[in-house]
Amino acid sequence: MTENGEDCTLNCPCEAPGKGDYGNVESKIPKTPFVDVKTTNKNNDEGQADREIPVYLPRPPSIPKASKFGKSVSVEDSMRTRKLRSSQESLSDRAETGSSTDSLKDDRTSQRNEQNSISRPQPAFSVGSPVFEDRKSWQPQHEARPYRQQSVPDDQRGRAAKPRLSPVQPIGPLPSLDRNFASATLRAANRIDRDCLDYGMLAKEKGGERLHRNLSDSRLLENMGSDSTSVNSMKSIYSVLSPIRPQDVRNRSFLEGSMLGSGALLGAEELDRHFPDRRVGVYVVTWNMQGEKFLPTNLNDLLLPTDSDFAQDFYVIGVQEGCPDRREWETCLQETLGPHYVMLYTASHGVLYLTVFIRRDLMWFCSVEVEHATVTTRIISQIKTKGAVGITFTFFGTSFLFITSHFTSGDTKVYERILDYNKIIEALALPKSLPDTNPYRSSPADVTTRFDQVFWFGDFNFRLGKDRAEVEAIMKGTVGGNMSPLLEHDQLSNQMKDGSIFKGFQEAPVHFFPTYKFDIGCDNYDTTSKQRTPSYTDRVMFRSRQANDIRVLKYNSCSSIKTSDHRPVIAVFQVKLRPGRDNIPLCGGLFDRSLYLEGIRRRMTARELKRREAISSQNSTICAIS
């Protein structure tokens, strides 16, 4: 019965069986999964002992019911109670703090709560909030969610039946987190490319020093943690395979470049991502092989010297009087450089060979056609021992020209060598179809003016204008690599000062001894009857359209290669790059795949043989019987 004397519905909770009006109200309340606690109910009328029964949060009735003490709970009282409890329990409220330690300790403290609930009476639960006056406001979606995902409303935080516990503090210090960024992709890349292990060892030797600027995005490398797997894989996942946003894919052009286009493959944005300082490394080698059939057993000192911190982006090798088998020579170069480099292009003119290798992940920024041209300086054109061969291509928006040449030999034939130079700059027909990046500064009479960066190297055959005894005396008196006393008698240096040859070109300071002429297999200069004077015949020259675009890092000779009467000369540069335009066709990743596979096969075979030799040497023992 209600207070007005009307009959209640059959489901009304007031018609609970029992002797008291409110003696067993909870037993008829529909159970909901909102709160599941255990409380103590004392039935003094029946004289029963304390017993433990489950109590569930009831659905709020449409009319507030009378409390245990016969009074209805007013709105002001409920608000006052909520304020008092919230001020004391806000720090321990699970709904507010959301502490992960509480959730971890739920199972551990549940048994302790059950024991305390038997001995301690729990506070009565109040349901008199006006928020629950309308049953229709209850969300069915809220009931359908699991208990762990249900959020406690603000009005119920102060009246939750489950006891609040203070946050559990950890017993000991938490374990430190390991900064390991090795994903499954990086591990797979490291397993595929075992050659990257060398970079991991180098990084450890440098004590965590920043890796090469051209291991793609340097900004990502600086922010990465120290991880061996990531180092061994050369951060490849953060260079060519870096994440691309869908909006960038929509606006990006992979078929043409543009300085203004956002995300263009040759544009400024892509250039800054791969080369933050906008400089590319170029490694130039010139060597007169003297036509030897047998190649050096190891070219590591020639291409990968130990005094260099990092490998470069381009390797350009020019050979005069090359070995008879040019393909074998190119395979040896590929085997030495390893899987990170591919042969972009190769050209020859008789026994003059010119080969260009590039880092594998930079192939996409080269022009689609690598062009070459040759010039012979002999009177009889069929004899191709003297002349020049040139290769040109565009990288981003910078055009490159590489020329290797062999001038007329002879101590006194300076004029003939100047004629060879003039014929080459006039007859070398380049570029053919590639656009000129700056046609206003080009000259039809000089091929070197049609490109941004030009490197000319080879056996120029210029000699020292002194007797051999005087030259050897000067060499003995040199201190600290100061070769200026020798260069005062150098024919090429004097002709360049007069402006008769290599106009606009520069040469790095020379700090090495003459590279011609040696006895094969030793460091002695010519001991034959001719007693030729040591000379600087092998040189590397460079010029640029813009001042200070080319920076010299190294200029030296390779004294460990002794299979020829000439010592190879090495020059390392850093070259300024500029963004590309939309009139530059792209390469599309073309390279000599068959040479690449053969070189890698030989590299793997050589390493396997070395490994087997090392194992056999360790297992073999010699026993001495005394």
Side-chain angles (χ1 to χ4, degrees):
M1 297 290 291
T2 61
E3 295 179 359
N4 298 330
E6 299 177 354
D7 293 336
C8 297
T9 59
L10 295 177
N11 296 329
C12 180
C14 65
E15 295 184 7
K19 296 182 180 181
D21 293 338
Y22 302 96
N24 199 8
V25 174
E26 292 83 350
S27 62
K28 297 297 291 182
I29 296 177
K31 299 180 181 179
T32 63
F34 189 76
V35 177
D36 187 5
V37 299
K38 294 185 181 298
T39 184
T40 303
N41 185 23
K42 295 183 178 181
N43 194 339
N44 298 328
D45 295 338
E46 297 179 357
Q48 298 179 355
D50 295 346
R51 59 188 181 91
E52 181 182 348
I53 60 172
V55 178
Y56 299 90
L57 178 66
R59 290 179 180 271
S62 59
I63 300 177
K65 295 187 66 61
S67 64
K68 184 184 297 185
F69 305 99
K71 296 181 181 180
S72 62
V73 181
S74 62
V75 176
E76 292 79 3
D77 295 338
S78 62
M79 295 295 291
R80 187 181 300 108
T81 304
R82 183 165 63 254
K83 289 181 180 180
L84 290 174
R85 293 185 176 180
S86 62
S87 62
Q88 298 177 0
E89 300 172 355
S90 60
L91 294 178
S92 61
D93 191 350
R94 184 184 303 274
E96 292 181 359
T97 59
S99 174
S100 61
T101 57
D102 290 344
S103 61
L104 293 175
K105 299 297 182 178
D106 281 343
D107 298 337
R108 185 180 300 177
T109 57
S110 59
Q111 298 179 358
R112 187 184 308 171
N113 294 338
E114 294 176 1
Q115 296 176 1
N116 295 339
S117 62
I118 300 176
S119 59
R120 265 200 316 266
Q122 302 298 325
F125 190 82
S126 176
V127 293
S129 175
V131 179
F132 301 107
E133 290 181 358
D134 188 5
R135 295 189 181 184
K136 295 181 180 180
S137 63
W138 192 265
Q139 298 290 341
Q141 293 86 356
H142 183 82
E143 296 180 354
R145 285 183 293 175
Y147 167 68
R148 292 291 182 182
Q149 300 179 3
Q150 294 180 9
S151 60
V152 182
D154 294 339
D155 294 334
Q156 295 181 0
R157 288 180 179 176
R159 297 177 284 103
K162 188 173 183 178
R164 268 75 170 199
L165 298 177
S166 60
V168 178
Q169 300 297 332
I171 300 176
L174 297 177
S176 59
L177 297 178
D178 185 14
R179 296 185 63 187
N180 187 355
F181 302 108
S183 63
T185 307
L186 287 176
R187 297 192 194 98
N190 185 42
R191 286 196 299 270
I192 294 173
D193 197 353
R194 295 289 185 182
D195 189 65
C196 300
L197 298 176
D198 301 336
Y199 291 84
M201 298 174 60
L202 179 61
K204 293 180 180 179
E205 293 176 0
K206 294 298 180 180
E209 184 180 335
R210 177 193 171 192
L211 292 178
H212 187 27
R213 51 178 177 76
N214 288 336
L215 293 185
S216 294
D217 201 340
S218 61
R219 291 168 291 184
L220 291 173
L221 299 180
E222 292 175 352
N223 298 328
M224 290 195 67
S226 176
D227 178 70
S228 59
T229 306
S230 301
V231 172
N232 294 341
S233 61
M234 294 181 62
K235 310 296 187 300
S236 60
I237 208 67
Y238 295 97
S239 56
V240 179
L241 302 179
S242 59
I244 304 176
R245 296 172 299 179
Q247 190 64 26
D248 296 338
V249 177
R250 292 188 177 187
N251 301 329
R252 197 171 190 177
S253 174
F254 288 95
L255 299 179
E256 61 183 15
S258 176
M259 294 180 62
L260 303 179
S262 176
L265 195 59
L266 299 182
E269 180 180 346
E270 196 76 6
L271 176 60
D272 293 336
R273 189 169 77 90
H274 287 80
F275 299 94
D277 53 358
R278 293 196 174 187
R279 289 189 176 272
V280 63
V282 179
Y283 193 101
V284 176
V285 176
T286 177
W287 184 25
N288 188 322
M289 301 180 66
Q290 201 185 8
E292 290 293 332
K293 180 179 180 180
F294 299 100
L295 299 175
T297 56
N298 194 339
L299 295 177
N300 287 333
D301 294 339
L302 180 64
L303 301 177
L304 303 171
T306 56
D307 57 351
S308 298
D309 294 335
F310 301 102
Q312 303 303 315
D313 303 300
F314 286 92
Y315 280 82
V316 186
I317 302 97
V319 172
Q320 308 84 41
E321 298 182 14
C323 62
D325 191 349
R326 180 166 66 96
R327 189 67 174 181
E328 179 66 21
W329 164 248
E330 295 167 356
T331 306
C332 291
L333 296 176
Q334 179 69 76
E335 178 185 357
T336 303
L337 292 176
H340 296 296
Y341 294 88
V342 295
M343 189 175 72
L344 177 65
Y345 200 79
T346 182
S348 64
H349 177 69
V351 291
L352 286 173
Y353 306 152
L354 182 58
T355 309
V356 179
F357 283 85
I358 184 176
R359 274 178 56 105
R360 186 177 58 189
D361 49 356
L362 300 179
M363 285 288 300
W364 306 97
F365 311 110
C366 290
S367 56
V368 67
E369 293 184 4
V370 181
E371 302 173 344
H372 85 279
T374 60
V375 175
T376 181
T377 56
R378 290 283 191 181
I379 298 176
I380 303 176
S381 60
Q382 285 77 10
I383 303 176
K384 299 179 180 179
T385 58
K386 298 295 189 294
V389 55
I391 290 179
T392 177
F393 59 89
T394 302
F395 187 71
F396 278 94
T398 304
S399 58
F400 288 83
L401 173 62
F402 297 95
I403 304 175
T404 184
S405 61
H406 195 185
F407 292 168
T408 303
S409 61
D411 293 345
T412 60
K413 295 184 179 180
V414 178
Y415 180 72
E416 287 79 358
R417 287 189 275 271
I418 295 177
L419 292 179
D420 293 343
Y421 166 80
N422 291 328
K423 184 177 182 179
I424 291 172
I425 63 175
E426 294 177 2
L428 198 62
L430 290 174
K432 298 177 181 179
S433 59
L434 289 176
D436 193 342
T437 56
N438 194 347
Y440 301 102
R441 304 186 63 177
S442 301
S443 173
D446 189 352
V447 66
T448 61
T449 62
R450 306 170 201 161
F451 300 91
D452 296 323
Q453 319 294 349
V454 181
F455 299 89
W456 195 332
F457 44 94
D459 183 3
F460 300 147
N461 263 321
F462 286 96
R463 313 298 174 90
L464 293 177
K466 281 289 184 179
D467 295 336
R468 174 165 178 168
E470 296 178 355
V471 170
E472 289 180 346
I474 296 175
M475 292 172 58
K476 292 179 181 179
T478 56
V479 179
N482 183 16
M483 302 298 172
S484 57
L486 282 176
L487 295 175
E488 291 178 1
H489 309 287
D490 179 49
Q491 295 175 352
L492 178 58
S493 300
N494 295 331
Q495 293 298 323
M496 289 181 65
K497 292 178 182 178
D498 297 339
S500 59
I501 193 173
F502 288 110
K503 299 177 182 178
F505 280 84
Q506 304 177 51
E507 184 182 15
V510 178
H511 297 294
F512 52 90
F513 287 108
T515 58
Y516 174 84
K517 171 181 185 187
F518 288 90
D519 292 337
I520 296 177
C522 62
D523 294 329
N524 299 325
Y525 287 99
D526 187 15
T527 59
T528 63
S529 58
K530 295 184 179 181
Q531 291 288 308
R532 293 182 177 88
T533 303
S535 301
Y536 292 100
T537 59
D538 308 282
R539 313 288 276 271
V540 178
M541 303 292 168
F542 62 92
R543 68 169 296 174
S544 177
R545 278 177 172 173
Q546 303 292 334
N548 302 323
D549 271 8
I550 299 178
R551 183 188 307 166
V552 181
L553 301 182
K554 181 181 179 181
Y555 190 39
N556 202 353
S557 63
C558 181
S559 59
S560 61
I561 304 295
K562 303 177 182 180
T563 58
S564 171
D565 57 349
H566 290 254
R567 293 290 184 265
V569 174
I570 300 169
V572 184
F573 305 94
Q574 279 189 351
V575 184
K576 184 76 173 181
L577 295 178
R578 288 175 174 80
R581 301 179 184 273
D582 54 3
N583 62 343
I584 300 175
L586 298 180
C587 172
L590 300 178
F591 66 95
D592 194 331
R593 184 173 182 273
S594 60
L595 179 73
Y596 179 82
L597 295 178
E598 178 63 21
I600 302 308
R601 186 191 64 80
R602 291 191 183 184
R603 185 183 180 95
M604 296 174 61
T605 304
R607 291 195 173 187
E608 181 65 20
L609 292 177
K610 290 181 180 180
R611 187 183 68 84
R612 292 181 180 180
E613 291 177 359
I615 294 176
S616 61
S617 62
Q618 292 177 0
N619 295 335
S620 62
T621 57
I622 301 176
C623 299
I625 302 176
S626 58

